[in-house]
Amino acid sequence: MNIDDNNPLTLLVTAHPDPSSLTHHVATRLASALRPRAVEVADLHREQFDPRFTPADRRAYHEGGNYPPDIAREHRRLDRATDLVLIFPVYWWSMPALLKGWIDRVFVNGWAFEYSAASGLRPRLQRLTTHLLPIAGADSGAYERHGYEQALRTQIEHGIIDYVGSRRGATAFIHESEQPSPEGTAASVERAVRVVSEAVQTDPPPA
């Protein structure tokens, strides 16, 4: 990774089609809370990122290189970052398809990890800390009763973050995102932004 130790970069990735959504509001609030630290926001909808895993992606996956130009661009972005924050609405107890497609195409063999039958799995993103900021419509009680939070955390934290060797950062849910009380939503946003921003700013520099 090509990281500037004097001004570490935090990359915020959003996946929501409405620029006036709570998702984008949260990203703006977090970016403000993190400054003067370097922050970049990747708005996958605005940038029209294509989440479809193509034959070219499959070839690059098996070869461990020769990535499509849009994926090479995302790799350069992440190579500059010490911290990654995924900010997304929870759809069907998971992330939106656009964000999942970004991970499918970007976190690939030869860059995020290396795998071969001879040597097995070698994670490669040890210098990156990944934080999650899911925005949920249901209340925290529903998530606890049905095990939704644990299921989502297992899927992303263990299934993705651990697999590529990234360090686990903060995970801060915003529940009841569609509640009628703007004060209640604002309090939830401030709490989540505080948790993630403090985690980013106190995170030790990568070795």
Side-chain angles (χ1 to χ4, degrees):
M1 288 189 176
N2 180 20
I3 294 174
D4 182 353
D5 293 332
N6 296 319
N7 195 13
L9 173 71
T10 300
L11 178 64
L12 313 183
V13 178
T14 66
H16 198 292
D18 183 357
S20 65
S21 66
L22 183 59
T23 298
H24 288 287
H25 171 70
V26 170
T28 300
R29 287 286 302 112
L30 181 56
S32 177
L34 288 171
R35 293 191 175 96
R37 185 186 178 97
V39 178
E40 182 177 348
V41 178
D43 180 345
L44 300 183
H45 266 282
R46 182 178 57 79
E47 296 175 5
Q48 298 184 318
F49 179 81
D50 187 349
R52 294 173 297 178
F53 197 84
T54 67
D57 290 302
R58 181 171 170 79
R59 286 193 298 272
Y61 181 92
H62 284 290
E63 294 169 3
N66 195 25
Y67 307 109
D70 59 337
I71 301 307
R73 182 175 63 248
E74 298 302 305
H75 289 168
R76 289 192 297 271
R77 219 178 206 175
L78 282 159
D79 281 342
R80 299 194 306 271
T82 57
D83 291 83
L84 167 67
V85 186
L86 304 180
I87 306 170
F88 59 93
V90 176
Y91 291 169
W92 295 107
W93 319 115
S94 185
M95 62 181 69
L98 176 59
L99 182 55
K100 179 59 165 57
W102 183 80
I103 291 171
D104 289 345
R105 297 190 64 209
V106 174
F107 283 48
V108 290
N109 184 35
W111 182 80
F113 63 91
E114 292 179 351
Y115 178 81
S116 70
S119 59
L121 175 67
R122 293 180 55 203
R124 297 190 61 185
L125 297 188
Q126 290 90 344
R127 296 191 67 187
L128 184 70
T129 300
T130 302
H131 312 264
L132 306 178
L133 223 166
I135 301 172
D139 60 55
S140 58
Y143 271 67
E144 183 176 349
R145 287 193 304 275
H146 299 290
Y148 294 141
E149 177 170 338
Q150 187 57 51
L152 189 147
R153 291 175 70 121
T154 298
Q155 175 199 160
I156 302 175
E157 291 178 345
H158 179 65
I160 300 172
I161 298 172
D162 292 352
Y163 190 86
V164 299
S166 175
R167 292 175 294 176
R168 292 192 192 186
T171 293
F173 278 78
I174 296 173
H175 294 287
E176 297 182 272
S177 61
E178 298 176 356
Q179 60 184 305
S181 166
E183 293 80 10
T185 301
S188 296
V189 168
E190 290 306 308
R191 180 196 62 80
V193 165
R194 183 178 66 255
V195 167
V196 174
S197 63
E198 288 178 354
V200 170
Q201 294 180 72
T202 59
D203 189 39

